[in-house]
């Protein structure tokens, strides 16, 4: 899942793709790198972020989704929103997947909308809301608490008519969690995989990687890859990342190493040298 943030204030790439042309180019580049899902967001959820109004969120994402859909990519188009009105317009524009970081809590009507239109969705765990979520987060056992939350939200979605096969679950790395909570969730992510739905993780460039490595936000790809490979080994199959090609390569090699099977791939661009 490649991240396309059409925002001025996202934590790692805010402002880079606010311009619609740049966002469309970026989305198509991520698809060409092998993203199977493109996740478009018009509202940052970074800690402390201020909410964005419906009109502004629509203005940022709808035209971009329309243009990417018109370009005819193989990738599914996902709308990262908590608002029904945004999901409705995004689906009209070509999206078929709803990624809701509140797991249908901000707007419970989203569940019926997803059911009615037979969309796929990702339900994520978050403690509190972005403005305050990093203020002294506490859990009993973080994995048990997140698991219970995700099971409850899955049951809510199913009761609203969403087919279980259409739901992915996400522990919400960095959403109301300390470094220790994030690491515990990753170490025991197989306990969430055991719920029986595909698990999504979004560790890409997040601050806990910077806390461990001392690296700034655009230097966290190696840390991101380490978490994706480790989570893949524990059963995670969907990775929400900013850098699609390097993560795909790392996962392809990890998968080949574990299974002993691989698909022979011919280099698309053979490096040229002026001395040979
Ligand atoms: N993380 C972010 C946003 N949406 N959705 C899911 N399912 N899982 C995540 O971990 C997740 C998410 C935050 O990352 P980003 O979109 O890069 O930043 P921002 O929220 O500042 O735009």
């Amino acid at each position: 899942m490649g991240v396309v943030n059409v925002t001025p204030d996202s934590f790692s790439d805010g402002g880079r793709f606010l311009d619609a042309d740049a966002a469309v180019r970026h989305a198509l580049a991520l698809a060409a790198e092998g993203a199977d899902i493109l996740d478009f967001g018009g509202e940052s959820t970074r800690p402390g972020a201020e909410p964005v109004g419906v009109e502004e969120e629509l203005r940022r994402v709808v035209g971009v989704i329309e243009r990417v859909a018109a370009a005819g990519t193989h990738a599914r188009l996902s709308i990262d929103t908590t608002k029904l009105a945004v999901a409705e317009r995004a689906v009209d524009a070509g999206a078929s997947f709803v990624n809701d970081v509140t797991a249908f809590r901000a707007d419970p009507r989203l569940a019926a909308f997803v059911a009615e239109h037979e969309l796929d969705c990702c339900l994520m765990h978050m403690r509190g809301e972005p403005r305050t979520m990093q203020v002294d987060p506490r859990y009993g056992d973080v994995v048990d608490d997140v698991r219970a939350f995700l099971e409850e939200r899955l049951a809510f979605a199913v009761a609203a008519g969403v087919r279980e096969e259409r739901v992915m679950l996400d522990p919400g790395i960095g959403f109301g969690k300390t470094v220790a909570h994030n690491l515990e969730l990753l170490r025991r992510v197989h306990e969430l995989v055991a719920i029986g739905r595909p698990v999504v993780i979004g560790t890409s460039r997040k601050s806990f990687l910077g806390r461990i490595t001392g690296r700034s936000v655009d230097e966290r790809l190696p840390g991101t890859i380490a978490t994706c490979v480790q989570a893949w080994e524990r059963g995670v199959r969907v990775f929400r990342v900013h850098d699609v090609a390097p993560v795909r390569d790392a996962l392809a090699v990890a998968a080949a190493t574990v299974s002993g099977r691989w698909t022979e791939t011919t280099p698309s661009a053979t490096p040229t040298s002026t001395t040979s």
Side-chain angles (χ1 to χ4, degrees):
M1 179 187 275
V3 180
V4 186
N5 285 324
V6 197
T7 58
D9 56 346
S10 286
F11 79 94
S12 82
D13 53 5
R16 282 188 60 197
F17 310 113
L18 189 55
D19 170 65
D21 290 344
V24 171
R25 270 198 308 277
H26 184 59
L28 295 174
L30 294 182
E33 288 182 24
D36 294 320
I37 304 171
L38 296 169
D39 190 35
F40 296 88
E43 177 177 35
S44 173
T45 51
R46 77 185 150 72
E50 289 297 332
V52 172
V54 176
E55 288 308 318
E56 178 59 15
E57 201 177 325
L58 287 172
R59 197 186 62 73
R60 291 178 186 175
V61 290
V62 173
V64 172
I65 293 175
E66 241 159 30
R67 286 172 57 187
V68 173
T73 170
H74 73 279
R76 309 274 312 274
L77 309 187
S78 161
I79 178 69
D80 184 349
T81 192
T82 63
K83 300 183 184 81
L84 176 64
V86 175
E88 285 173 338
R89 293 283 303 280
V91 168
D92 286 345
S96 60
F97 191 109
V98 174
N99 175 26
D100 181 0
V101 296
T102 73
F104 299 153
R105 288 177 302 153
D107 194 339
R109 295 171 305 167
L110 256 179
F113 174 74
V114 165
E116 189 190 333
H117 293 265
E118 300 194 351
L119 307 172
D120 290 326
C121 62
C122 177
L123 306 181
M124 197 195 80
H125 175 271
M126 168 167 46
R127 180 190 156 276
E129 42 144 354
R131 223 163 28 80
T132 53
M133 65 190 176
Q134 286 306 106
V135 181
D136 192 24
R138 285 171 200 241
Y139 296 90
D141 175 295
V142 67
V143 181
D144 289 350
D145 290 5
V146 168
R147 180 181 170 138
F149 172 92
L150 293 175
E151 285 174 338
E152 189 275 320
R153 295 324 291 165
L154 174 61
F156 173 84
V158 169
V162 180
R163 296 218 333 259
E164 194 168 322
E165 309 87 83
R166 296 213 171 267
V167 182
M168 298 184 188
L169 302 173
D170 185 332
I173 298 296
F175 285 85
K177 281 119 187 157
T178 62
V179 177
H181 292 143
N182 291 325
L183 296 177
E184 180 83 356
L185 282 163
L186 289 168
R187 193 171 62 77
R188 292 169 51 200
V189 73
H190 51 279
E191 295 178 35
L192 305 178
V193 171
I195 297 172
R197 300 306 314 140
V199 170
V200 180
I201 59 152
T203 54
S204 190
R205 302 181 185 172
K206 282 187 178 167
S207 67
F208 77 107
L209 301 173
R211 297 273 301 279
I212 296 169
T213 60
R215 299 293 180 186
S216 64
V217 76
D218 48 3
E219 298 173 327
R220 295 180 190 157
L221 177 57
T224 301
I225 289 175
T227 57
C228 290
V229 167
Q230 174 266 358
W232 181 85
E233 221 261 331
R234 285 159 169 77
V236 174
R237 290 295 178 267
V238 184
F239 305 86
R240 185 181 180 280
V241 295
H242 301 87
D243 307 281
V244 169
V247 173
R248 241 190 107 94
D249 285 2
L251 291 171
V253 174
T257 308
V258 170
S259 71
R261 292 189 307 275
W262 71 96
T263 311
E264 193 83 35
T265 307
T266 314
S268 47
T270 311
T272 50
S273 159
T274 51
T275 56
S276 61

